Amino acid sequence: MRMPAYFLKMINNSLLMFLRLGIIIIFYSIFINCVSAQDFNFKILDSFKIKSDQIYLDHLNQLYVIQSQDHLILKFDDQFQIKKESSSSFYAEPLFMSVVDPMKIILYIPSFSNVQILNSDLTLLSDEYYQQFNSESAITHYSNQSLCYFSNGKITLKNTIDNRLIESENIYYNRSKELKLTEIKSNGKDIYLLIPGAGLWHFNEFLKLEHFMNDSTIEHIDLYENKLFISKHDQIEILNLNLKSQVQKIKFSFPILSFSVNKNYLLLADKNKIIRYKIL
């Protein structure tokens, strides 16, 4: 017995409708999962009261706190217990640290153009005067055998074995009236230079300028895997490494004086405490 033509047509239309609905649901699920994967998810873990001028977090989850008023650098383990303490009259000045290599910590003292290398105990290994450095210079690790620094308007890679130098072209910018610490970060390939009040520069491994963000409100930067974090007053913005697209913006209820991030934690410092967030 054959079904009427109109009944067959009704069944076909119903099947087609369910098929389309199924495709939409699958597409929507994939889209939601992709967006969630791109988001930076975290939860508050703990905090402790401490005054700090700058904070730095290494890949071993060790925290370094600079207290300029007390002339101190404090090193904490991942339980916020003090492991080491270093005191010097030089620490009363604004300082910039690089803790990419916890066995060879870089400490730059802008007022004296001195670059110190400290071991894991915060003991001095070397102290070198960089004549070309000034208050707007900054320095960091680039690889096991090279340093990366900014001075005299140029990015320079210095081979620590043979002292060979590779320089970028000059960059030009308007200097801020309120001088703040210049920051430089690298993942061993990309180089990011922040001059607060002037903007943020991205250089590739050939020291060619890839992108410039003309944003005077950026206060601090840090790298985490394939993302660049920037802080602006009470918020953190997460950017792709090319700086051309924003992934996420996170607003907090307090001004962020300093921050640092690694694969496990995001640490924020306000006036009297450090708050640790667990990355999920």
Side-chain angles (χ1 to χ4, degrees), residues 67-80:
Q67 296 180 326
S68 298
Q69 186 173 357
D70 296 324
H71 308 176
L72 286 174
I73 296 178
L74 304 175
K75 179 180 178 180
F76 296 83
D77 62 18
D78 60 357
Q79 300 300 314
F80 283 157

Side-chain angles (χ1 to χ4, degrees), residues 58-60 62 64 99-105 118-120:
D58 68 23
H59 69 273
L60 301 176
Q62 299 175 126
Y64 306 80
V99 296
V100 174
D101 183 351
M103 303 300 293
K104 293 183 179 180
I105 300 165
L118 311 179
N119 66 10
S120 58

Side-chain angles (χ1 to χ4, degrees), residues 47-52 268-275:
S47 66
F48 74 113
K49 291 185 177 181
I50 186 172
K51 292 184 178 181
S52 62
L268 306 180
D270 70 2
K271 188 175 182 180
N272 294 307
K273 67 177 178 295
I274 295 174
I275 306 170

Side-chain angles (χ1 to χ4, degrees), residues 46-242:
D46 50 21
S47 66
F48 74 113
K49 291 185 177 181
I50 186 172
K51 292 184 178 181
S52 62
D53 293 286
Q54 293 101 37
I55 62 173
Y56 299 90
L57 183 65
D58 68 23
H59 69 273
L60 301 176
N61 302 323
Q62 299 175 126
L63 169 65
Y64 306 80
V65 176
I66 296 177
Q67 296 180 326
S68 298
Q69 186 173 357
D70 296 324
H71 308 176
L72 286 174
I73 296 178
L74 304 175
K75 179 180 178 180
F76 296 83
D77 62 18
D78 60 357
Q79 300 300 314
F80 283 157
Q81 300 297 314
I82 293 182
K83 291 181 67 177
K84 298 294 177 182
E85 179 178 317
S86 178
S87 177
S88 170
S89 58
F90 290 120
Y91 300 165
E93 307 292 331
L95 306 172
F96 178 80
M97 291 182 72
S98 171
V99 296
V100 174
D101 183 351
M103 303 300 293
K104 293 183 179 180
I105 300 165
I106 296 176
L107 180 66
Y108 174 50
I109 308 171
S111 297
F112 298 94
S113 299
N114 279 63
V115 176
Q116 296 184 348
I117 306 296
L118 311 179
N119 66 10
S120 58
D121 292 328
L122 302 183
T123 302
L124 184 66
L125 295 177
S126 65
D127 189 352
E128 185 175 356
Y129 173 69
Y130 281 68
Q131 185 177 3
Q132 71 275 32
F133 276 22
N134 56 32
S135 58
E136 293 183 347
S137 298
I139 185 169
T140 189
H141 296 90
Y142 185 75
S143 70
N144 292 333
Q145 298 182 352
S146 59
L147 301 174
C148 175
Y149 59 80
F150 172 73
S151 68
N152 294 330
K154 295 180 180 180
I155 296 289
T156 301
L157 293 181
K158 177 182 179 180
N159 188 303
T160 56
I161 304 300
D162 58 14
N163 290 324
R164 181 168 50 92
L165 303 179
I166 303 175
E167 296 183 336
S168 71
E169 295 182 356
N170 280 88
I171 62 172
Y172 301 94
Y173 55 93
N174 293 321
R175 287 167 172 78
S176 174
K177 293 181 180 179
E178 182 183 0
L179 187 62
K180 296 183 178 180
L181 279 176
T182 298
E183 297 184 14
I184 189 168
K185 304 284 183 176
S186 177
N187 56 13
K189 180 180 178 182
D190 300 281
I191 300 167
Y192 299 90
L193 173 70
L194 172 67
I195 303 178
L200 175 62
W201 288 260
H202 169 211
F203 295 84
N204 62 26
E205 66 267 37
F206 305 108
L207 301 189
K208 299 296 183 182
L209 180 62
E210 291 282 347
H211 191 68
F212 169 64
M213 287 183 64
N214 186 15
D215 189 338
S216 61
T217 65
I218 302 174
E219 297 173 335
H220 301 286
I221 61 173
D222 206 356
L223 279 169
Y224 162 69
E225 290 190 347
N226 61 342
K227 298 291 185 288
L228 182 74
F229 288 64
I230 65 176
S231 67
K232 298 179 179 180
H233 185 56
D234 61 352
Q235 67 186 29
I236 296 286
E237 294 182 14
I238 307 172
L239 309 176
N240 286 323
L241 292 184
N242 60 16

